[in-house]
Amino acid sequence: MPEEGRAISSDTLSPDAATQGALPDRLARAITLGGPIPLSQFMAAANAHYYATRDPLGATGDFVTAPEISQMFGELIGLALADSWDRAGRPDAAYVELGPGRGTLAADALRAMAKAQAMPPAHFVETSPVLRAAQAARLPGATWHDDLATLPDDVALLVVANEFFDALPIAQLVKGGDGWHERLVACQDTLFLPIAGKRVPDEIIPPSLADAPAGAIIETAPAAVTLIRALARRLVAQGGVAIIVDYGYEGPAIGDTLQAVRGHAAANPFDAPGEQDLTAHVDFATLKAAAEAEGATTWGPVDQGDLLLALGIDARAASLARRAPDRGDELAAARQRLVAPDQMGRLFKAVAIAAPGWPVPAGFA
Ligand code: SAH
């Protein structure tokens, strides 16, 4: 039984001989000693190392996220949380963020929430020491957690996760001539490559996908499901709401969405483990079903563009531009990047999860 909400263990590679040296060497030795490893173990080890050793965000890093594009993103998400909290009767609450990156979203959200009289203490679920330090520089008063288990259990939770679930390890099943196989990662010399492992029982394949052609791939995200269930249990027991933003689809579906990004360009996901960001599209339907199985209410997915428009991004952009007319063009460009369907507006989507009795969050009606 995994620990509550435990997503990635950085010591997934248990053989002693595999714990020394650089990550690619350790993975290669682990595979030589123990045989090919599940894709989820490869992805977990790669991302744990990747995030533990750098701040990947921004123009000089590997990728840019919505809160790093404009303060408007965090402000509007914060206002939506404050509005839910207000309509729920203003219970004692904590602000919780999963994978807060540089702390930018949290700083913007908490500043906007304070204007709406919501001043919850900040709790961050973050495993990377480098990013914890960046978060502490923005929000020195926050409390940090390795997973959900240590979050406060006696107050409502106002939860945000932006581009967090896409970083959690996925498993893949690949259809062979004789049925479905778990996808494993093998190592030839220093090259990592996916191979088909043991056959899995047909019963675990969603009936709608059973007839897929040879070569088809199905993804599952056991770590994300475990975490969502733990989060939903907390919301149901303590009250609260979570807004989760990511890119994804409503599964189950056929498709290989594992991707690597390095220096703002796509890379081979099996190259240089630990040196590039590995992500997979989030299956919103499965996450919603997991939350509902714990008794929580869910809404969405709604397109990020529609959500931000409903939350008033245009009014916010206009008010910021009035105060800083020289920033008008920059604000218009940021608004466009966050909202336009051909930019982030449609690719990124949001789902909300809440305790029964909590109101429909703004923008999800
Ligand atoms: N939300 C931020 C950062 C997104 S990057 C933004 O929008 O800018 C992903 C974040 O999740 C990083 O902070 C990373 O360190 C964290 N993270 C990744 N896997 C994690 C895990 N298993 N447990 C906790 N944090 C994790």
Side-chain angles (χ1 to χ4, degrees), residues 173-198:
L173 299 171
V174 58
K175 182 91 176 271
D178 62 339
W180 293 88
H181 296 253
E182 183 178 10
R183 220 166 182 208
L184 304 177
V185 179
C187 183
Q188 259 175 5
D189 302 324
T190 56
L191 268 188
F192 296 97
L193 69 165
I195 62 163
K198 273 211 306 274

Side-chain angles (χ1 to χ4, degrees), residues 7-8 51 57 65 67 99-101 125-128 131 162-164 168:
I8 288 181
Y51 283 107
L57 295 154
T65 56
V125 177
E126 174 63 69
T127 41
S128 161
L131 289 171
N162 185 62
E163 288 210 51
F164 170 77
L168 299 184

Side-chain angles (χ1 to χ4, degrees), residues 35-91:
I37 57 174
L39 175 64
S40 55
Q41 191 179 340
F42 179 83
M43 186 172 174
N47 272 355
H49 180 84
Y50 176 78
Y51 283 107
T53 50
R54 76 208 69 207
D55 171 355
L57 295 154
T60 57
D62 289 328
F63 57 95
V64 175
T65 56
E68 301 297 333
I69 290 170
S70 169
Q71 70 188 78
M72 296 186 286
F73 182 83
E75 289 171 346
L76 294 170
I77 298 285
L79 287 175
L81 292 177
D83 173 64
S84 273
W85 166 81
D86 180 52
R87 287 186 288 136
R90 304 191 164 214

Side-chain angles (χ1 to χ4, degrees), residues 244-257:
I244 293 165
V245 185
D246 233 305
Y247 46 94
Y249 61 103
E250 290 180 76
I254 298 293
D256 178 1
T257 76

Side-chain angles (χ1 to χ4, degrees), residues 80-174:
L81 292 177
D83 173 64
S84 273
W85 166 81
D86 180 52
R87 287 186 288 136
R90 304 191 164 214
D92 284 343
Y95 173 91
V96 174
E97 192 170 332
L98 311 180
R102 291 179 172 166
T104 308
L105 197 172
D108 294 334
L110 288 163
R111 190 180 60 248
M113 291 168 81
K115 292 200 175 135
Q117 283 95 48
M119 278 167 282
H123 289 264
F124 294 155
V125 177
E126 174 63 69
T127 41
S128 161
V130 174
L131 289 171
R132 278 189 180 198
Q135 292 151 22
R138 299 294 302 268
L139 292 144
T143 306
W144 281 265
H145 304 265
D146 289 332
D147 50 49
L148 303 190
T150 52
L151 288 174
D153 58 9
D154 54 354
V155 294
L157 303 178
L158 308 174
V159 185
V160 188
N162 185 62
E163 288 210 51
F164 170 77
F165 282 94
D166 64 339
L168 299 184
I170 55 155
Q172 289 184 336
L173 299 171
V174 58

